[in-house]
Amino acid sequence: DTAVSQTPKYLVTQMGNDKSIKCEQNLGHDTMYWYKQDSKKFLKIMFSYNNKELIINETVPNRFSPKSPDKAHLNLHINSLELGDSAVYFCASSPSSAGLAGAYNEQFFGPGTRLTVL
Amino acid sequence: QKEVEQDPGPLSVPEGAIVSLNCTYSNSAFQYFMWYRQYSRKGPELLMYTYSSGNKEDGRFTAQVDKSSKYISLFIRDSQPSDSATYLCAMTKTSYDKVIFGPGTSLSVIP
């Protein structure tokens, strides 16, 4: 019955490796996001997709590449992992990229993927 | 200056206390102001949001926005141990713009 799910929950890997994190939402939402939360709990947006199209692309290294095969899935692939990539990565989804004035477009977060790069 | 600032705490209060959590921001274009609660090793969940200035109450929680001072607050009345979590303020210009989060305040409510 999970709304936004991510796999894996934990990921421990060596520097230089390539890894992927998968995200799926069963809420029927149009928009999905990837966030990075560092050790100081700072939650920062990385990417946003609306109906499989990239709409937000923050200043993120090219080693990070999101892929949305359909609007229910948004995966994150990371090449050549570095120590500084260690963080918790959250996927989120929201109903629409545009809403009525005054109505907040609530984002629903997944449980997070804790990535540790050694 | 960071766009959103928040005292990281930690904040420790006895059960039943009134808790005040605050954020300041620099961008006057923000119109939506949210409070998210994040339990340890979980994803954030929306507690409440306010559009533009004013107050909003939901049970034991009250959110206040003062746009003239660029200051928002969350008050928790009759705090409970189950309120122990990190509280993240967040804001955005429009409902479809990117959301900027504060660094969060860690709260512990001691029984």
Side-chain angles (χ1 to χ4, degrees):
Chain A
D1 202 35
T2 308
V4 182
S5 59
Q6 295 178 228
T7 52
K9 202 165 181 179
Y10 298 94
L11 189 51
V12 181
T13 188
Q14 299 286 332
M15 229 169 34
N17 284 350
D18 303 339
K19 289 293 177 188
S20 291
I21 307 172
K22 294 185 177 182
C23 178
E24 177 181 359
Q25 54 96 2
N26 62 5
L27 297 166
H29 288 168
D30 292 326
T31 308
M32 295 185 73
Y33 313 80
W34 277 112
Y35 284 87
K36 178 180 180 181
Q37 188 171 46
D38 61 27
S39 56
K40 293 185 178 179
K41 294 286 191 179
F42 232 122
L43 191 63
K44 196 166 180 190
I45 189 161
M46 301 171 71
F47 303 102
S48 172
Y49 270 74
N50 179 249
N51 270 320
K52 303 193 295 175
E53 281 193 43
L54 183 65
I55 55 171
I56 293 176
N57 185 354
E58 287 296 289
T59 311
V60 176
N62 290 340
R63 300 181 294 103
F64 290 80
S65 53
K67 280 188 175 54
S68 182
D70 55 62
K71 74 173 195 176
H73 296 84
L74 180 62
N75 304 322
L76 183 66
H77 189 74
I78 316 169
N79 288 328
S80 304
L81 278 155
E82 299 178 358
L83 295 175
D85 297 332
S86 295
V88 182
Y89 291 83
F90 286 100
C91 177
S93 71
S94 65
S96 176
S97 63
L100 297 172
Y104 171 57
N105 196 17
E106 180 179 351
Q107 295 183 21
F108 294 80
F109 285 80
T113 295
R114 189 170 293 270
L115 171 65
T116 303
V117 182
L118 303 173
Chain B
Q1 184 190 10
K2 288 193 175 122
E3 269 193 293
V4 180
E5 307 224 36
Q6 185 177 6
D7 185 343
L11 185 60
S12 187
V13 301
E15 185 175 352
I18 296 174
V19 176
S20 171
L21 304 168
N22 311 294
C23 284
T24 58
Y25 62 95
S26 56
N27 191 339
S28 57
F30 288 141
Q31 294 203 83
Y32 294 81
F33 303 91
M34 291 75 73
W35 287 95
Y36 278 81
R37 179 174 59 196
Q38 185 176 19
Y39 289 114
S40 182
R41 302 200 170 243
K42 301 282 187 189
E45 54 180 354
L46 182 68
L47 204 52
M48 53 198 308
Y49 80 91
T50 310
Y51 174 65
S52 194
S53 277
N55 295 357
K56 191 172 186 178
E57 191 173 316
D58 184 2
R60 296 183 296 109
F61 299 88
T62 300
Q64 285 186 354
V65 174
D66 181 351
K67 289 188 74 178
S68 61
S69 303
K70 297 194 184 73
Y71 188 87
I72 71 170
S73 301
L74 177 72
F75 297 95
I76 308 174
R77 289 183 301 281
D78 187 25
S79 56
Q80 303 294 309
S82 57
D83 295 330
S84 298
T86 297
Y87 289 80
L88 305 161
C89 65
M91 41 203 83
T92 183
K93 296 176 206 172
T94 69
S95 65
Y96 51 85
D97 224 323
K98 67 178 181 181
V99 175
I100 308 297
F101 284 83
T105 299
S106 175
L107 171 68
S108 291
V109 181
I110 313 300

